[in-house]
């Protein structure tokens, strides 16, 4: 066993591993042979110009699209030795549970099973709240599966058995706790559609967190937020990572947010990964600069040549 | 084989009628995304107008074929015009006030309008069936069978129906693809808000869509009347549901799809009646609808819909 | 001050939109075809006149063939009779009606200052409403409980007729509440609900005919069978989008009806099944003579006792439906139904198995339809496929939508208005004095029913009671305005 302690977290202890992910829509290749890791307890950002395929990656990870090719492994706990993954891949099963934790092959699972079993929660680019339900109800819906079991699949619930009553109280408490956390407690009884945009964003994150995810996928959480709201969002994400131990994968355009909070950045362009590393590494990567500023490929090579020359010198 | 050919001819005739009604459904669905439940009843209204025109003109089979065809063209035009007025009014009263409203509201008013039309005709014209003696008679024997068995015949009426449908369909496709009206219509179909911003009169375009659909339904109404020779106030419902099935089968929103779907439904129904059982022919048509929707929700010629996340 | 109409339209601002909305929510929902931009009362009058003339001309065109002429079977085919007088009267009615509408309803609407739309306002109004509905529910319940005795006491002559009518209304209330689960809560548009009604009715009738089972045994069986059918029919179609789901459920409804109609040696075909047993009270029948309920209680037998019994059965069944629905709404399953109506994709992202959730909604709705069906069979004593046409589905759906999706009290109001109101037409015998002895008001029932559907929907597109009450409360109870609540767009 070689010493891997100097490797970054996403190499040593990934919670999510995407390998050779390819997604084609007819003739269009939205994502091409993409591989990257999401480190446990880290904030990973997926960035890239418009149309780079970021949301497609999200939809593949969360099961809304079935990838054309590739493997997406989600790990709970210490599980996830290469042999175990290989064994699971060979077999036809979606997941394997061992004493160390559990392994899930997300590309084999449907959307709601991914959220329910693999514990991957997500938010949406265009916010998808239950607009006609109150803020509180939104957070209760997120705890559906636990409450369903507690209500004895409705039978016990109809008779209001004590087991269900306790679960209901706990669910309320959790929802109220999250509302307090995202500063929305005073709006608990207002319909979600009535909230201002920034509040809706935070509510959607709180709702995703109510499913107790191991991995939280955020699709442009800072889009349309003003600077103060952006700062609040940063705090919230740090809180989630610190207090809940949830790993975060996010898509973001706001470079300020990305550079400030991300431990690890993956850059996509035209469905291909062009860079992968810490904020510092990515910021100085010439191909990233080229992709963002729209430099011709030949120029990229020139820049690279210059850089290489400098390194060698 | 002869039996098969005969069923094929009958099926194509029936399918032409369904196709003509289906166009109205498909156009309206394409442009405002609603099922115009009253469309089948517009077909019925057209059929009644045609019936009364024929009775008023005193047309009988004894008149010469040339005169008869000329008179029928007049009947057709009158029926188209008056049915169009009905179609326009229904849209104006029941759908336009609800434009941009909640999705279920126009569906309910459409069902309400369907009930209104049926009962209006029932109240004013009576509930009894209206039998009309055959007017267009005669036909051609394509295959002479043994002792009159296994003969394959095509009646003049069937030729008239198939030819008229074909002509109308061609003219109609040209109208949609070549004229300004057709362009506005397609623009509204894509994005009615944007079309309005670009100067397309959306309300008028939608009204014209209803008018065209109603006119074609009136044609189908006249054909139905002449082919079956008996109508009542209730014919719109079943014909409407089957025509809608045809529109869905062909891919809703697609005009050639509506025609193709109509022909297929007509053929399925005729062959089912011919080879299996007449009683369950409606079940066959509806089962096709269910199967198509489950396995091919965008129909034969429709655009597939991608789920947007 | 300038004419508010003119200033609103020149602004192209929110005012115009509000004004347009106000216009569109007009009584008959129809803004005048010609809306005068500016000018005094004179040009408005002439514009109204022109508009009314247009409406009259339209009526003349529409009625030309249908009112002006009448086709009847005559020797050798058909013959037409002319009724131009009737056409002239009809056109005159439309002209005058339109003119009056223009002058009084639309004009007033137009000159009223545009109301600002304040979403906050729903709260205070919602609270009054909540208090009102809290007060009204027990009153309604008491009235419903005492109704048969009130009738016997107040109107002994017509009591039987009125109790029968209220049984009919309650049946529709129950069906409406059942369908409300599917359409109102889960947002699944079901146009074939009558299929489950039919399954319930036929289950009971067939079980009674072939196995000799009684009403009380068959009632739960009919519900379970209907629920199973709900699952079987629901499973393949539930991934369809809203409108497609509607049309497929319609098709299923028709398929079941056609099968019932043609499977003669099992279902009796068009002749139906007669002699469906009456419900018993703990095994005692409602009959005269020894062994009947009247005999047992030592009172004089009267046929009305059976009606009262039926009334209470359907009342209990309807209240059970209501109770279960209200209870389910507060449970995770009910909340998931509503979430599904709001946003299916978000539901899936939260780990909710949407197929199962839809199926439970479908099956629960179907079950109550089945109960109502077996009640219908026992009440009529005879069933045939005629009772289960698409029209029946349309009526039930209309009750749900007109009442306001998801609103329990709305269903009651809509049932009373639509079913009760229409049935009351039978009593309008005084109209014969006006229109002559041939005039039969019942003939116009469905015509008026259809018109009422259109008018109510245009007047209130979200139904009569359109706000939603939350299922979980942190501090204060609010009502959520209809403009926020989704109707289940499919996707």
């Amino acid at each position: 066993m070689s010493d891997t302690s100097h490797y970054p977290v996403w190499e040593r202890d990934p919670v999510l591993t995407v390998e050779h992910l390819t997604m084609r829509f007819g003739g269009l290749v939205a994502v091409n042979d993409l591989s990257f890791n999401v480190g446990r307890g880290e904030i990973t950002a997926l960035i890239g110009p418009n149309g780079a395929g970021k949301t497609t990656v999200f939809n593949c990870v969360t099961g809304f699209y079935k990838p054309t090719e590739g493997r997406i492994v989600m790990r709970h706990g210490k599980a996830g030795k290469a042999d175990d993954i290989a064994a699971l891949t060979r077999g036809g099963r979606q997941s394997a549970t061992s004493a160390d934790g559990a392994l899930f092959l997300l590309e084999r699972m449907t959307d709601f099973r991914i959220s329910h079993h693999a514990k991957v929660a997500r938010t949406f680019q265009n916010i998808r709240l239950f607009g006609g339900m109150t803020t509180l109800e939104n957070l209760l819906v997120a705890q559906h599966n636990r409450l369903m079991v507690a209500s004895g699949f409705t039978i016990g619930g109809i008779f209001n058995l004590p087991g269900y009553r306790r679960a209901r109280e706990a669910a309320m408490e959790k929802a109220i706790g999250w509302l307090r956390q995202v500063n929305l407690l005073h709006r608990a009884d207002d319909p979600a559609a009535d909230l201002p945009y920034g509040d809706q964003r935070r509510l959607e994150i709180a709702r995703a967190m109510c499913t107790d995810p191991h991995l939280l996928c955020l699709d442009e959480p800072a889009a349309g937020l003003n600077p103060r709201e952006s700062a609040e969002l940063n705090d919230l994400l740090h809180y989630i990572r610190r207090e809940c131990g949830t790993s975060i994968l996010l898509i973001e355009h706001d470079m300020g947010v990305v550079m400030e909070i991300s431990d690890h950045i993956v850059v996509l362009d035209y469905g291909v990964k062009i860079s992968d590393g810490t904020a510092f590494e990515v910021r100085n990567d010439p191909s990233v600069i080229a992709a963002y500023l729209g430099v011709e490929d030949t120029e990229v090579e020139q820049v690279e040549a210059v850089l290489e020359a400098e390194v060698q010198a | 084989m002869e039996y098969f050919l005969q069923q094929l001819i009958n099926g194509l005739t029936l399918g032409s009628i369904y196709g003509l009604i289906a166009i109205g459904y498909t156009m309206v669905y394409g442009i405002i995304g609603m099922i115009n439940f009253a469309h089948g009843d517009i077909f019925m209204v057209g059929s009644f107008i045609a019936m009364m025109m024929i009775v008023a003109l005193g047309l009988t089979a004894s008149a010469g074929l040339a005169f008869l065809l000329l008179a029928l063209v007049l009947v057709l035009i009158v029926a188209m015009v008056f049915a169009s007025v009905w179609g326009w009014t229904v849209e104006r009263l029941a759908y336009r006030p609800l434009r941009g409203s909640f999705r279920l509201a126009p569906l309910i008013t459409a069902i309400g309008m369907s009930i209104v039309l049926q009962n209006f005709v029932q109240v004013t014209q009576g509930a009894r069936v209206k039998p009309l003696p055959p007017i267009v008679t005669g036909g051609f024997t394509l295959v002479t069978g043994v002792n009159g068995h296994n003969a394959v015949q095509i009646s003049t009426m069937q030729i008239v129906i198939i030819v008229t449908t074909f002509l109308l369909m061609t003219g109609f496709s040209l109208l949609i693809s070549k004229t300004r009206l057709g362009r506005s219509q397609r623009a509204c179909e894509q994005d009615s808000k944007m079309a309005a911003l670009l100067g397309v009169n959306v309300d008028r375009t939608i009204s014209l869509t209803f008018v065209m659909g109603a006119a074609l339904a009136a044609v189908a109404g006249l054909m139905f009347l002449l082919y079956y020779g008996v109508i009542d106030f209730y014919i719109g419902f079943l014909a409407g549901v089957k025509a809608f099935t045809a529109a869905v089968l062909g891919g809703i929103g697609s005009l050639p799809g509506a025609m193709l779907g109509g022909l297929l439904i007509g053929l399925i129904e005729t062959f089912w009646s011919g080879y299996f059982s007449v009683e369950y022919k409606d079940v066959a048509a509806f089962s096709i609808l269910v199967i198509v929707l489950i396995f091919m929700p965008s129909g034969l010629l429709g655009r597939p819909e991608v789920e947007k996340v | 001050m300038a004419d508010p109409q003119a200033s609103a339209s020149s602004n192209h601002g929110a005012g115009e939109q509000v004004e347009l909305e106000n216009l569109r929510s007009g009584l008959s929902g129809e803004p005048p075809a010609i809306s005068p931009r500016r000018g005094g009362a004179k040009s408005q009058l002439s514009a109204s006149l022109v508009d009314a003339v247009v409406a009259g001309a339209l009526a003349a065109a529409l009625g030309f063939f249908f009112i002006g002429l009448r086709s009847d079977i005559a020797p050798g085919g058909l013959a037409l009779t002319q009724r131009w007088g009737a056409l002239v009267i009809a056109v005159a009615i439309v002209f005058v009606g339109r003119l009056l509408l223009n002058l009084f309803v639309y004009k007033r609407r137009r000159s009223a200052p545009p109301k600002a739309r304040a979403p906050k306002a729903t709260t205070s109004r919602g609270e009054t409403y909540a208090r009102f509905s809290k007060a009204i529910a027990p009153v309604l319940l008491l009235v419903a409980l005492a109704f048969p005795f009130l009738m016997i006491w107040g109107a002994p002559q017509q009591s039987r007729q009125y109790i029968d009518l209220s049984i009919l209304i309650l049946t529709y209330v129950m069906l409406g509440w059942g369908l409300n689960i599917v359409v109102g809560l889960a947002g699944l548009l079901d146009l074939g609900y009558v299929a489950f009604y039919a399954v319930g009715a036929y289950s009971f009738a067939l079980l009674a005919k072939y196995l000799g089972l009684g009403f009380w045994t068959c009632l739960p069986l009919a519900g379970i069978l209907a629920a199973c059918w709900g699952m079987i029919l629901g499973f393949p179609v539930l991934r369809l989008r809203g409108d497609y789901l509607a049309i497929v459920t319609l098709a299923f409804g028709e398929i079941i009806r056609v099968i019932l109609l043609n499977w003669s040696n099992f279902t009796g075909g068009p002749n139906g099944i007669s002699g469906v047993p009456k419900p018993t009270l703990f095994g005692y029948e409602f009959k005269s003579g020894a062994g009947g309920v009247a005999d047992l209680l030592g009172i004089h037998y009267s046929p009305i006792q059976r009606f009262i019994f039926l009334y209470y059965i359907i009342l209990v069944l309807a209240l059970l439906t209501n109770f279960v629905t209200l209870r389910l709404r507060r449970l995770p399953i009910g909340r998931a139904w509503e979430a599904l109506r709001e946003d299916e994709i978000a539901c899936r992202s939260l780990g909710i198995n949407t197929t199962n959730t839809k199926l439970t909604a479908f099956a629960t709705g179907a079950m109550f339809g089945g109960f109502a069906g077996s009640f219908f069979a026992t009440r009529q004593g005879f069933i045939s496929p005629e009772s289960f046409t698409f029209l029946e589905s349309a009526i039930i759906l209309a009750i749900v939508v007109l009442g306001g999706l998801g609103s329990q009290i709305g269903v009651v109001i809509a049932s009373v208005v639509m079913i009760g109101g229409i049935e009351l037409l039978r009593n309008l015998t005084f109209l014969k004095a006006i229109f002559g002895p041939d005039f039969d008001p019942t003939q116009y029932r469905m015509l008026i029913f259809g018109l009422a559907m259109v008018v109510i929907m245009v007047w209130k597109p979200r139904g009569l009671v359109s706000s939603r009450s939350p299922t979980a409360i942190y501090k204060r109870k609010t009502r959520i305005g209809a403009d926020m609540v989704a109707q289940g767009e499919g996707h």
Side-chain angles (χ1 to χ4, degrees), chain B residues 258-292:
Chain B
M259 209 56 235
L260 178 69
L263 289 178
L264 282 176
I265 291 289
L267 287 172
I268 290 165
E269 202 179 309
T270 322
F271 277 102
W272 189 277
S273 316
Y275 287 97
F276 300 104
S277 69
V278 185
E279 291 85 23
Y280 288 101
K281 68 180 164 87
D282 296 342
V283 172
F286 291 136
S287 308
I288 296 290
L289 172 72
V290 173
I291 291 165
V292 168

Side-chain angles (χ1 to χ4, degrees), chain A residues 109-120:
Chain A
M109 299 169 73
T110 48
D111 38 27
F112 73 90
R113 294 182 61 85
I114 288 180
S115 169
H116 185 190
H117 300 288
K119 297 280 174 203
V120 179

Side-chain angles (χ1 to χ4, degrees), chain C residues 20-37:
Chain C
L20 202 67
E21 268 170 33
N22 285 344
L23 279 174
R24 285 189 172 172
S25 62
L27 188 64
S28 79
E30 206 186 347
I34 304 152
S35 58
R37 290 268 144 191

Side-chain angles (χ1 to χ4, degrees), chain B residues 135-156:
Chain B
I135 294 172
V136 183
T137 48
F140 306 93
T141 307
L142 302 180
V143 179
T144 340
V146 189
N147 301 332
H149 287 291
N150 296 336
V152 179
Q153 288 176 327
I154 181 162
S155 67
T156 320

Side-chain angles (χ1 to χ4, degrees), chain B residues 47-62:
Chain B
S47 187
F48 264 82
I49 295 172
M51 179 268 292
M52 282 188 264
M53 273 301 284
I54 288 172
V55 177
L57 291 175
L59 294 185
T60 50
S62 53

Side-chain angles (χ1 to χ4, degrees), chain C residues 339-358:
Chain C
L340 198 64
R341 179 192 66 205
E342 297 284 330
D343 194 326
E344 185 177 341
I345 287 175
C347 275
R348 295 203 306 239
S349 85
L350 296 173
I352 297 174
N353 184 338
T354 47
T355 312
N356 285 357
T357 309
K358 285 178 182 177

Side-chain angles (χ1 to χ4, degrees), chain C residues 5 40 43 57-58 61 82 118 128 134 170 196 198-199 235 249 270 274 332 356 379 434:
Chain C
Q5 152 78 21
S43 71
L58 199 60
Q82 302 182 14
T128 15
K134 205 173 239 174
L170 278 173
F196 307 122
V199 166
F235 192 71
T249 48
S274 52
N356 285 357
R379 176 195 160 214
I434 306 171

Side-chain angles (χ1 to χ4, degrees), chain C residues 23 27 29-30 52 65 81 133 146 160 180 205 208 215 239 243 267 285 305 309 351 362 372 374 435 442 453 455:
Chain C
L23 279 174
L27 188 64
E30 206 186 347
F65 281 102
T81 27
S133 71
R160 192 174 139 175
N180 209 0
F215 174 70
R239 62 197 185 94
D243 289 337
T267 63
E285 284 177 47
Q305 287 159 4
F309 183 51
F362 229 66
S374 71
F435 294 102
T442 52
M453 269 169 85
V455 170

